[in-house]
Amino acid sequence: MTTYDLALIGFGGVNRTLAEIVHDRGEALRAELGFSLRIVAITDLRLGSLMKAEGIDLAMALHLGHGETFADHGGSKDTNNESVIRNCTADIVCEATFTNPEDGEPAVSHVRWALESGKSVCTTNKGPVALRGPELEKLAEENGVRFEFEGAVMSGTPVIRLAKQMFAGLAINGFEGILNGTSNYVLGRMEAGLDLASAISEAQELGYAEANPSADIEGYDVQLKVLILANELLGAGITLQDVSREGLSSVSSADIEKASAQGMRWKLIGSARKKSDGTVTASVKPVALPMDHGLAGISGATNAVSFGTDLLGPVTVSGPGAGRVETAYALLSDIIAIHAAKKVPSHA
């Protein structure tokens, strides 16, 4: 039986949930998937770092007491990310740290260190994929490993892999989608009568929006996702500066009321379109959609993407766009894809 050793970089909600899945469902997954998972390294800003070639005691790691760090269990109070990533015995590095939309760091370095040391990577982090995707994919190929990132767009809904694998034989000429659950929730509440500030405040109270909601509300999050989809699925070869961005602050309560009276509904739409000369235009902006539009009925935190294809016309994929369990599943799906590719060394 093949066993893949994992290193978890970041031990917040997503990687912690992946550890819970490995701990609670490990035997069932082994029987179902045909391989085992063992976590041999964890790093975390608060907890420090721990490496155990024979496997970390997950019950301990998941239930550290108040004030405890990995230093209390043979590890270090420091993250030591580069040393851990380069020197641990992991086959696959699961990177789930925060997204930095400016330069993608430190996640870009985390991914690069892993690939350079012959380890495959799966990540939920949009930064490395959007800002350094082609460079990192080339580095993975040069080192005979994989760089997988299904969770970077639409969380656990496998939109990238689905389009690449299930749309074989179709030409994708563009897409448009609702790619941020927070902004979609806020627009729904504005349609119910709240102003923008009140809708954002409610979203924050419910845990949908961060204390600083600009990444969601002003379209920065969607901008990164559009860039990823455009480059991965349309071969656009564009940069973040090529994706125009307009957020929800341009939509007033009066705009919402007017659209509703006309049988329309506002949505924050991320889209890209391949032109006849092969170039791609991409944007993020609020759009008033007619009620019979395929994306008009997408509500709450649900995400959806409608792909334009040559043989089938529009094909729409919808599913959860957030959530720690859903995003942890995206990492698991990446690990399954890495196993299927049979390009990583393994421990028998």
Side-chain angles (χ1 to χ4, degrees), residues 38-195:
R38 177 172 57 189
I39 295 172
V40 298
I42 302 174
T43 72
D44 184 75
L45 286 172
R46 183 174 60 86
L47 301 175
S49 57
L50 181 64
M51 290 192 292
K52 297 281 186 181
E54 69 277 15
I56 290 172
D57 178 353
L58 294 182
M60 174 277 296
L62 291 166
H63 299 99
L64 288 177
H66 181 69
E68 274 190 292
T69 70
F70 289 135
D72 299 309
H73 298 271
S76 170
K77 63 181 177 58
D78 300 314
T79 55
N80 300 315
N81 278 326
E82 182 172 8
S83 177
V84 170
I85 291 170
R86 289 190 183 278
N87 298 315
C88 73
T89 57
D91 308 302
I92 302 170
V93 171
C94 303
E95 209 288 341
T97 64
F98 67 93
T99 292
N100 178 350
E102 298 298 322
D103 59 8
E105 293 292 355
V108 168
S109 291
H110 296 162
V111 174
R112 183 181 293 115
W113 296 333
L115 299 176
E116 287 174 349
S117 58
K119 299 173 177 70
S120 289
V121 173
C122 54
T123 185
T124 60
N125 198 312
K126 294 178 288 293
V129 189
L131 304 178
R132 294 287 184 272
E135 167 194 330
L136 294 173
E137 288 179 279
K138 181 181 179 183
L139 184 61
E141 185 176 358
E142 290 173 349
N143 286 278
V145 293
R146 304 286 297 182
F147 178 41
E148 300 287 342
F149 42 82
E150 188 61 64
V153 180
M154 283 182 67
S155 186
T157 303
V159 62
I160 298 173
R161 196 165 289 124
L162 185 147
K164 284 185 173 181
Q165 297 179 0
M166 304 304 293
F167 288 2
L170 296 176
I172 302 174
N173 50 48
F175 64 84
E176 56 181 357
I178 295 170
L179 297 170
N180 182 272
T182 300
S183 60
N184 201 45
Y185 176 84
V186 165
L187 283 171
R189 297 304 292 148
M190 289 179 70
E191 190 174 347
L194 275 63
D195 60 26

Side-chain angles (χ1 to χ4, degrees), residues 15-36:
N15 264 344
R16 180 176 289 270
T17 302
L18 179 62
E20 291 172 352
I21 292 171
V22 173
H23 180 261
D24 298 340
R25 298 183 57 195
E27 286 304 308
L29 288 173
R30 182 185 64 80
E32 178 182 350
L33 301 175
F35 59 85
S36 296

Side-chain angles (χ1 to χ4, degrees), residues 162-233:
L162 185 147
K164 284 185 173 181
Q165 297 179 0
M166 304 304 293
F167 288 2
L170 296 176
I172 302 174
N173 50 48
F175 64 84
E176 56 181 357
I178 295 170
L179 297 170
N180 182 272
T182 300
S183 60
N184 201 45
Y185 176 84
V186 165
L187 283 171
R189 297 304 292 148
M190 289 179 70
E191 190 174 347
L194 275 63
D195 60 26
L196 178 61
S198 298
I200 292 173
S201 178
E202 182 176 287
Q204 289 170 326
E205 290 174 5
L206 293 170
Y208 294 157
E210 302 292 337
N212 180 356
S214 61
D216 295 324
I217 302 303
E218 295 306 326
Y220 294 102
D221 175 71
V222 178
Q223 188 181 32
L224 290 171
K225 293 172 180 175
V226 167
L227 179 60
I228 292 169
L229 290 177
N231 284 339
E232 287 297 315
L233 303 182

